[in-house]
Amino acid sequence: MKIIDLITKDTLSLSFEVFPPKTETSLESVKNATEEIAKLKPSFMSVTYGAGGGTSKYTLDIAKNIKELYGVPTLAHLTCVSSTKETVRQKIDEIKAAGIQNVMALRGDIPETLRNDDRSKWDFRYAIDLIRELKEADADFCIGCACYPEVHPESENQKDDIKRLHEKVDAGCDFIATQMFFDNNLLYNFLYKIREVGITVPVIPGIMPITNANQVERAIKLSGSFMPQRFKSLVDKFGSDPDAMKQAGIAYATDQIIDLYANNITNVHVYSMNKPDVAKKIQMNLSDILGK
Ligand code: FAD
């Protein structure tokens, strides 16, 4: 099932993200977490490609399981930076052979070791190169791309960043998924700006429930996201009490989702980070709204 056909409903639905393990030893526990999350029957589940500490090796395996064992539509992430055309084409063939219809086309972060490389020699410099490759493949993929309500760290300004996003959509992206944010107003401003320039495809906001104080620093480092005072106060108050912090972080994320839905956004993607308990609690908090 294509994501584009799943997210255009009137009622709220949630999707969840998992990331593959670093080593084979933790593969089983990731698969178990995936199963628990899949049992919540989200609208879809995404599997990252080497992000969040995981490796790309198991992405397809896990994505295939989600679809085949639990009947949940999957979105397989794929990055292209520093890859050759040959490797990327092989990956695309594997995704197609696995029967996965939804692909999140990403550039990926540039590895430290390649920062001074001559990038003009790379087969893939930007996500748009991968989108073009996916469009050329003999497959009818539903393609997603990333966006940054607070501007990608490498962009000079938001205008340029949105221009690049527009190019990705014109190259064939069916939907856009956002970087995490902790202040919904940032998303609303961003949506206004992209709609104004004529980007009309659906945008799926990504919400990261922060469940422990250490995660705050990591999340900011990873995303450069702005932390509103309301959120900082919550970390100050509960940061040293793990259970209270978890409850407060889940309540904050729930509140963000309710506000998004109140503003007519019907699918919210939750960065549940392989934590079924967090996914379950968020879903439980919203049970009447979700009708589950
Ligand atoms: P691009 O769209 O290529 O943009 C990167 C930068 O280049 C931006 O500043 C953009 O404005 C600029 N740019 C784009 N096109 C051009 C052009 N033609 N000319 C000049 N400048 C241009 N990383 C992973 O490794 N694995 C994952 O699974 C993963 N999942 C993600 C999911 C989401 C929803 C998001 C938001 C990010 C994810 N990331 C993941 C992180 C992502 O790979 C990084 O943020 C990366 O730095 C940029 O990827 P991109 O696809 O947005 O790149």
Side-chain angles (χ1 to χ4, degrees), residues 174-191:
D174 300 290
F175 68 93
I176 305 169
T178 80
Q179 181 60 285
M180 65 181 90
F181 55 88
F182 299 93
D183 177 350
N184 287 2
N185 288 323
L186 293 165
L187 178 83
Y188 302 140
N189 288 339
F190 173 75
L191 286 178

Side-chain angles (χ1 to χ4, degrees), residues 75-95:
L75 168 63
H77 290 207
L78 181 62
T79 65
C80 60
V81 73
S82 75
S83 295
T84 60
K85 269 206 190 274
E86 200 188 350
T87 336
V88 166
R89 282 181 182 161
Q90 194 186 326
K91 282 282 162 203
I92 294 174
D93 285 346
E94 284 169 17
I95 294 173

Side-chain angles (χ1 to χ4, degrees), residues 277-288:
D277 56 327
V278 173
K280 269 183 210 163
K281 283 202 172 118
I282 290 193
Q283 186 149 308
M284 229 161 61
N285 286 348
L286 295 163
S287 57
D288 286 339

Side-chain angles (χ1 to χ4, degrees), residues 17 47-51 77-79 104-110 125-128 146-148 152-155 160-161 164 167-168 177-179 271:
E17 181 157 295
V47 188
T48 67
Y49 192 82
H77 290 207
L78 181 62
T79 65
M104 183 74 184
L106 298 144
R107 185 197 69 180
D109 284 326
I110 297 172
R125 291 175 68 183
Y126 299 105
I128 193 169
C147 74
Y148 304 84
H152 187 274
E154 289 167 36
S155 289
D160 281 357
D161 209 28
R164 298 307 181 186
E167 287 167 3
K168 291 199 280 189
T178 80
Q179 181 60 285
Y271 294 122

Side-chain angles (χ1 to χ4, degrees), residues 6-280:
L6 293 165
I7 57 175
T8 41
K9 296 181 301 178
D10 291 337
T11 48
L12 177 66
S13 55
L14 299 180
S15 47
F16 294 113
E17 181 157 295
V18 291
F19 61 87
K22 255 188 191 155
T23 59
E24 197 168 350
T25 2
S26 20
L27 183 58
E28 214 40 48
S29 78
V30 173
K31 283 190 172 169
N32 290 340
T34 304
E35 179 178 358
E36 289 300 302
I37 296 174
K39 280 184 190 158
L40 299 172
K41 292 281 164 216
S43 53
F44 69 90
M45 284 173 75
S46 66
V47 188
T48 67
Y49 192 82
T55 144
S56 49
K57 202 169 148 197
Y58 305 108
T59 298
L60 205 53
D61 225 22
I62 296 171
K64 208 172 159 203
N65 272 359
I66 292 171
K67 187 175 75 74
E68 286 178 1
L69 302 181
Y70 317 117
V72 174
T74 9
L75 168 63
H77 290 207
L78 181 62
T79 65
C80 60
V81 73
S82 75
S83 295
T84 60
K85 269 206 190 274
E86 200 188 350
T87 336
V88 166
R89 282 181 182 161
Q90 194 186 326
K91 282 282 162 203
I92 294 174
D93 285 346
E94 284 169 17
I95 294 173
K96 193 183 158 198
I100 290 167
Q101 283 185 291
N102 305 295
V103 184
M104 183 74 184
L106 298 144
R107 185 197 69 180
D109 284 326
I110 297 172
E112 201 60 51
T113 47
L114 298 181
R115 290 262 153 92
N116 299 321
D117 243 34
D118 175 3
R119 298 185 191 182
S120 65
K121 297 209 168 88
W122 292 359
D123 283 350
F124 297 91
R125 291 175 68 183
Y126 299 105
I128 193 169
D129 303 324
L130 175 58
I131 295 162
R132 291 186 178 127
E133 199 65 46
L134 284 160
K135 290 302 280 183
E136 273 174 26
D138 180 23
D140 182 25
F141 290 124
C142 174
I143 304 171
C145 69
C147 74
Y148 304 84
E150 296 177 67
V151 185
H152 187 274
E154 289 167 36
S155 289
E156 297 247 321
N157 55 56
Q158 192 169 44
K159 204 170 164 203
D160 281 357
D161 209 28
I162 290 179
K163 184 170 165 261
R164 298 307 181 186
L165 178 65
H166 206 167
E167 287 167 3
K168 291 199 280 189
V169 173
D170 285 347
C173 266
D174 300 290
F175 68 93
I176 305 169
T178 80
Q179 181 60 285
M180 65 181 90
F181 55 88
F182 299 93
D183 177 350
N184 287 2
N185 288 323
L186 293 165
L187 178 83
Y188 302 140
N189 288 339
F190 173 75
L191 286 178
Y192 178 78
K193 287 178 183 161
I194 66 166
R195 299 306 186 212
E196 200 182 25
V197 298
I199 299 175
T200 56
V201 295
V203 175
I204 305 180
I207 295 295
M208 162 87 82
I210 299 284
T211 53
N212 67 67
N214 298 335
Q215 212 186 331
V216 179
E217 213 173 297
R218 256 182 289 130
I220 299 177
K221 199 168 161 224
L222 193 79
S223 65
S225 302
F226 163 73
M227 290 283 165
Q229 189 52 46
R230 195 164 80 83
F231 189 80
K232 284 189 195 151
S233 308
L234 186 150
V235 180
D236 284 347
K237 180 80 180 168
F238 303 115
S240 54
D241 178 340
D243 290 342
M245 183 62 226
K246 191 170 175 180
Q247 193 168 45
I250 290 172
Y252 190 93
T254 306
D255 197 36
Q256 274 192 283
I257 298 171
I258 292 172
D259 180 67
L260 290 168
Y261 184 45
N263 283 281
N264 296 330
I265 290 167
T266 53
N267 194 102
V268 179
H269 196 54
V270 182
Y271 294 122
S272 43
M273 309 292 287
N274 299 357
K275 292 178 187 152
D277 56 327
V278 173
K280 269 183 210 163

